[in-house]
Short mmCIF file of all heavy atoms in Angstrom, two decimals:
data_model
loop_
_atom_site.label_atom_id
_atom_site.label_comp_id
_atom_site.label_asym_id
_atom_site.label_seq_id
_atom_site.Cartn_x
_atom_site.Cartn_y
_atom_site.Cartn_z
N ILE A 867 0.85 -1.20 0.00
CA ILE A 867 0.00 0.00 0.00
C ILE A 867 0.88 1.25 0.00
O ILE A 867 0.61 2.23 -0.70
CB ILE A 867 -0.94 0.00 1.22
CG1 ILE A 867 -1.92 -1.17 1.15
CG2 ILE A 867 -1.71 1.32 1.31
CD1 ILE A 867 -2.90 -1.12 0.02
N ARG A 868 1.98 1.20 0.77
CA ARG A 868 2.89 2.36 0.81
C ARG A 868 3.46 2.65 -0.56
O ARG A 868 3.54 3.82 -0.98
CB ARG A 868 4.02 2.11 1.82
CG ARG A 868 4.87 3.36 2.09
CD ARG A 868 6.25 3.03 2.59
NE ARG A 868 7.06 2.40 1.55
CZ ARG A 868 7.64 3.07 0.55
NH1 ARG A 868 7.49 4.38 0.44
NH2 ARG A 868 8.38 2.43 -0.35
N ARG A 869 3.83 1.61 -1.29
CA ARG A 869 4.37 1.82 -2.64
C ARG A 869 3.30 2.39 -3.58
O ARG A 869 3.61 3.21 -4.46
CB ARG A 869 4.90 0.50 -3.20
CG ARG A 869 6.16 0.00 -2.50
CD ARG A 869 6.81 -1.12 -3.28
NE ARG A 869 7.93 -1.70 -2.56
CZ ARG A 869 8.72 -2.64 -3.07
NH1 ARG A 869 8.50 -3.11 -4.30
NH2 ARG A 869 9.73 -3.13 -2.36
N GLY A 870 2.07 1.94 -3.38
CA GLY A 870 0.98 2.51 -4.18
C GLY A 870 0.80 3.99 -3.91
O GLY A 870 0.59 4.78 -4.83
N VAL A 871 0.89 4.39 -2.63
CA VAL A 871 0.78 5.81 -2.26
C VAL A 871 1.94 6.59 -2.86
O VAL A 871 1.77 7.68 -3.42
CB VAL A 871 0.75 5.96 -0.72
CG1 VAL A 871 0.83 7.44 -0.33
CG2 VAL A 871 -0.50 5.32 -0.14
N ALA A 872 3.16 6.04 -2.75
CA ALA A 872 4.36 6.72 -3.26
C ALA A 872 4.30 6.92 -4.76
O ALA A 872 4.84 7.90 -5.29
CB ALA A 872 5.61 5.93 -2.87
N ALA A 873 3.65 6.00 -5.47
CA ALA A 873 3.54 6.11 -6.93
C ALA A 873 2.67 7.29 -7.35
O ALA A 873 2.84 7.84 -8.44
CB ALA A 873 2.97 4.81 -7.51
N ILE A 874 1.76 7.69 -6.46
CA ILE A 874 0.86 8.81 -6.79
C ILE A 874 1.37 10.10 -6.17
O ILE A 874 1.45 11.13 -6.83
CB ILE A 874 -0.57 8.50 -6.28
CG1 ILE A 874 -1.13 7.27 -7.00
CG2 ILE A 874 -1.49 9.70 -6.49
CD1 ILE A 874 -2.44 6.79 -6.45
N LEU A 875 1.74 10.05 -4.88
CA LEU A 875 2.23 11.24 -4.18
C LEU A 875 3.76 11.23 -4.21
O LEU A 875 4.42 10.97 -3.21
CB LEU A 875 1.70 11.26 -2.75
CG LEU A 875 0.17 11.19 -2.61
CD1 LEU A 875 -0.24 11.15 -1.14
CD2 LEU A 875 -0.50 12.38 -3.31
N THR A 876 4.30 11.49 -5.37
CA THR A 876 5.75 11.35 -5.59
C THR A 876 6.59 12.36 -4.80
O THR A 876 7.79 12.16 -4.62
CB THR A 876 6.06 11.51 -7.08
OG1 THR A 876 5.52 12.77 -7.54
CG2 THR A 876 5.42 10.39 -7.89
N SER A 877 6.00 13.43 -4.32
CA SER A 877 6.77 14.45 -3.60
C SER A 877 6.98 14.09 -2.14
O SER A 877 7.77 14.74 -1.44
CB SER A 877 6.06 15.81 -3.69
OG SER A 877 4.78 15.75 -3.08
N LEU A 878 6.29 13.06 -1.65
CA LEU A 878 6.40 12.69 -0.24
C LEU A 878 7.53 11.69 -0.01
O LEU A 878 7.84 10.87 -0.88
CB LEU A 878 5.07 12.09 0.24
CG LEU A 878 3.83 12.99 0.17
CD1 LEU A 878 2.63 12.27 0.77
CD2 LEU A 878 4.06 14.32 0.89
N GLY A 879 8.11 11.74 1.19
CA GLY A 879 9.17 10.81 1.56
C GLY A 879 8.62 9.50 2.09
O GLY A 879 7.40 9.31 2.22
N HIS A 880 9.56 8.60 2.44
CA HIS A 880 9.18 7.26 2.89
C HIS A 880 8.30 7.29 4.15
O HIS A 880 7.26 6.62 4.21
CB HIS A 880 10.45 6.43 3.17
CG HIS A 880 10.16 5.03 3.60
ND1 HIS A 880 9.84 4.70 4.91
CD2 HIS A 880 10.13 3.86 2.91
CE1 HIS A 880 9.62 3.41 5.01
NE2 HIS A 880 9.80 2.86 3.79
N ASP A 881 8.70 8.08 5.14
CA ASP A 881 7.95 8.10 6.39
C ASP A 881 6.54 8.66 6.21
O ASP A 881 5.58 8.18 6.83
CB ASP A 881 8.69 8.93 7.44
CG ASP A 881 9.98 8.25 7.90
OD1 ASP A 881 10.12 7.04 7.64
OD2 ASP A 881 10.83 8.92 8.51
N GLU A 882 6.41 9.66 5.34
CA GLU A 882 5.10 10.27 5.11
C GLU A 882 4.16 9.29 4.39
O GLU A 882 2.99 9.15 4.77
CB GLU A 882 5.25 11.55 4.29
CG GLU A 882 5.97 12.66 5.03
CD GLU A 882 6.34 13.83 4.14
OE1 GLU A 882 7.01 13.57 3.10
OE2 GLU A 882 5.98 14.97 4.46
N THR A 883 4.68 8.61 3.37
CA THR A 883 3.84 7.64 2.65
C THR A 883 3.50 6.45 3.54
O THR A 883 2.41 5.87 3.44
CB THR A 883 4.54 7.15 1.37
OG1 THR A 883 5.83 6.62 1.70
CG2 THR A 883 4.70 8.29 0.37
N LEU A 884 4.42 6.10 4.45
CA LEU A 884 4.16 4.99 5.37
C LEU A 884 3.02 5.34 6.33
O LEU A 884 2.15 4.51 6.62
CB LEU A 884 5.43 4.66 6.16
CG LEU A 884 5.31 3.49 7.16
CD1 LEU A 884 4.93 2.19 6.43
CD2 LEU A 884 6.62 3.30 7.92
N GLN A 885 3.01 6.56 6.80
CA GLN A 885 1.95 6.98 7.71
C GLN A 885 0.58 6.94 7.02
O GLN A 885 -0.42 6.50 7.60
CB GLN A 885 2.23 8.41 8.22
CG GLN A 885 1.25 8.90 9.27
CD GLN A 885 1.21 8.02 10.50
OE1 GLN A 885 2.24 7.58 10.99
NE2 GLN A 885 0.01 7.75 11.01
N ILE A 886 0.55 7.40 5.77
CA ILE A 886 -0.70 7.35 5.01
C ILE A 886 -1.13 5.92 4.78
O ILE A 886 -2.31 5.56 4.91
CB ILE A 886 -0.53 8.09 3.66
CG1 ILE A 886 -0.29 9.58 3.89
CG2 ILE A 886 -1.75 7.88 2.76
CD1 ILE A 886 0.09 10.35 2.64
N ALA A 887 -0.16 5.05 4.47
CA ALA A 887 -0.46 3.63 4.23
C ALA A 887 -1.04 2.98 5.48
O ALA A 887 -1.97 2.16 5.39
CB ALA A 887 0.80 2.90 3.78
N ARG A 888 -0.51 3.32 6.65
CA ARG A 888 -1.03 2.76 7.90
C ARG A 888 -2.50 3.15 8.10
O ARG A 888 -3.32 2.34 8.55
CB ARG A 888 -0.19 3.23 9.08
CG ARG A 888 1.14 2.50 9.19
CD ARG A 888 2.00 3.08 10.28
NE ARG A 888 3.24 2.32 10.44
CZ ARG A 888 4.37 2.82 10.92
NH1 ARG A 888 4.41 4.11 11.28
NH2 ARG A 888 5.44 2.05 11.05
N THR A 889 -2.83 4.40 7.79
CA THR A 889 -4.22 4.85 7.93
C THR A 889 -5.13 4.08 6.97
O THR A 889 -6.23 3.66 7.35
CB THR A 889 -4.31 6.36 7.62
OG1 THR A 889 -3.48 7.07 8.54
CG2 THR A 889 -5.75 6.85 7.73
N ILE A 890 -4.66 3.88 5.74
CA ILE A 890 -5.45 3.15 4.75
C ILE A 890 -5.69 1.71 5.20
O ILE A 890 -6.81 1.20 5.17
CB ILE A 890 -4.76 3.18 3.37
CG1 ILE A 890 -4.72 4.61 2.81
CG2 ILE A 890 -5.48 2.25 2.38
CD1 ILE A 890 -3.88 4.77 1.56
N VAL A 891 -4.63 1.04 5.64
CA VAL A 891 -4.74 -0.36 6.06
C VAL A 891 -5.67 -0.51 7.25
O VAL A 891 -6.53 -1.40 7.29
CB VAL A 891 -3.34 -0.93 6.38
CG1 VAL A 891 -3.47 -2.31 7.02
CG2 VAL A 891 -2.51 -1.04 5.10
N SER A 892 -5.50 0.35 8.26
CA SER A 892 -6.35 0.23 9.46
C SER A 892 -7.81 0.49 9.13
O SER A 892 -8.70 -0.17 9.68
CB SER A 892 -5.87 1.20 10.54
OG SER A 892 -6.01 2.55 10.11
N THR A 893 -8.07 1.42 8.21
CA THR A 893 -9.46 1.71 7.82
C THR A 893 -10.07 0.53 7.07
O THR A 893 -11.20 0.11 7.35
CB THR A 893 -9.52 2.97 6.95
OG1 THR A 893 -8.95 4.07 7.65
CG2 THR A 893 -10.97 3.31 6.60
N LEU A 894 -9.29 -0.03 6.11
CA LEU A 894 -9.80 -1.16 5.35
C LEU A 894 -10.05 -2.37 6.24
O LEU A 894 -11.06 -3.07 6.12
CB LEU A 894 -8.81 -1.52 4.24
CG LEU A 894 -8.71 -0.53 3.08
CD1 LEU A 894 -7.57 -0.91 2.14
CD2 LEU A 894 -10.03 -0.47 2.29
N GLU A 895 -9.14 -2.62 7.18
CA GLU A 895 -9.29 -3.78 8.07
C GLU A 895 -10.47 -3.63 9.02
O GLU A 895 -11.03 -4.62 9.50
CB GLU A 895 -7.99 -4.01 8.86
CG GLU A 895 -6.86 -4.55 7.98
CD GLU A 895 -5.58 -4.80 8.76
OE1 GLU A 895 -5.48 -4.29 9.91
OE2 GLU A 895 -4.70 -5.50 8.23
N SER A 896 -10.88 -2.38 9.28
CA SER A 896 -12.04 -2.14 10.14
C SER A 896 -13.36 -2.36 9.41
O SER A 896 -14.42 -2.39 10.02
CB SER A 896 -12.01 -0.72 10.70
OG SER A 896 -12.30 0.23 9.68
N GLY A 897 -13.28 -2.47 8.07
CA GLY A 897 -14.48 -2.64 7.28
C GLY A 897 -15.11 -1.33 6.85
O GLY A 897 -16.13 -1.32 6.15
N GLU A 898 -14.51 -0.19 7.27
CA GLU A 898 -15.03 1.12 6.88
C GLU A 898 -14.56 1.48 5.48
O GLU A 898 -13.43 1.15 5.09
CB GLU A 898 -14.55 2.18 7.87
CG GLU A 898 -15.10 2.02 9.28
CD GLU A 898 -16.59 2.24 9.34
OE1 GLU A 898 -17.08 3.15 8.63
OE2 GLU A 898 -17.27 1.50 10.07
N PRO A 899 -15.38 2.18 4.71
CA PRO A 899 -14.94 2.61 3.37
C PRO A 899 -13.92 3.73 3.46
O PRO A 899 -13.92 4.51 4.42
CB PRO A 899 -16.23 3.10 2.72
CG PRO A 899 -17.12 3.50 3.85
CD PRO A 899 -16.78 2.57 4.99
N ILE A 900 -13.04 3.81 2.49
CA ILE A 900 -12.05 4.88 2.43
C ILE A 900 -11.91 5.33 0.99
O ILE A 900 -12.03 4.52 0.06
CB ILE A 900 -10.70 4.41 3.00
CG1 ILE A 900 -9.73 5.60 3.09
CG2 ILE A 900 -10.09 3.28 2.16
CD1 ILE A 900 -8.47 5.28 3.88
N GLU A 901 -11.71 6.61 0.79
CA GLU A 901 -11.57 7.15 -0.56
C GLU A 901 -10.09 7.25 -0.91
O GLU A 901 -9.30 7.82 -0.16
CB GLU A 901 -12.26 8.50 -0.67
CG GLU A 901 -13.78 8.39 -0.57
CD GLU A 901 -14.49 9.72 -0.76
OE1 GLU A 901 -13.80 10.76 -0.84
OE2 GLU A 901 -15.73 9.71 -0.86
N LEU A 902 -9.73 6.69 -2.06
CA LEU A 902 -8.35 6.66 -2.52
C LEU A 902 -8.26 7.25 -3.92
O LEU A 902 -9.15 7.04 -4.75
CB LEU A 902 -7.82 5.22 -2.53
CG LEU A 902 -7.92 4.45 -1.21
CD1 LEU A 902 -7.50 3.00 -1.43
CD2 LEU A 902 -7.07 5.11 -0.14
N MET A 903 -7.16 7.96 -4.18
CA MET A 903 -6.94 8.51 -5.52
C MET A 903 -6.09 7.54 -6.33
O MET A 903 -5.18 6.89 -5.81
CB MET A 903 -6.25 9.87 -5.43
CG MET A 903 -6.02 10.51 -6.80
SD MET A 903 -5.47 12.24 -6.67
CE MET A 903 -7.01 13.04 -6.21
N THR A 904 -6.39 7.45 -7.62
CA THR A 904 -5.66 6.56 -8.52
C THR A 904 -4.75 7.37 -9.43
O THR A 904 -4.90 8.59 -9.54
CB THR A 904 -6.65 5.75 -9.38
OG1 THR A 904 -7.26 6.64 -10.34
CG2 THR A 904 -7.73 5.11 -8.52
#
């Protein structure tokens, strides 16, 4: 998921994309919907 975020938000560093990825994963695992950009 982090690599997917990095592919879109190319200006962000590793730690920033990792933090976003953690939010995405935790939301998906909770069963709640989340909006993602492609």
Side-chain angles (χ1 to χ4, degrees):
I867 296 295
R868 190 203 69 77
R869 290 193 186 185
V871 172
I874 297 172
L875 304 177
T876 55
S877 62
L878 299 183
H880 182 278
D881 291 345
E882 293 169 306
T883 55
L884 181 60
Q885 185 59 43
I886 294 172
R888 283 175 176 154
T889 300
I890 294 172
V891 171
S892 64
T893 303
L894 289 173
E895 289 181 345
S896 72
E898 294 293 321
I900 187 169
E901 291 184 353
L902 305 174
M903 181 170 286
T904 72

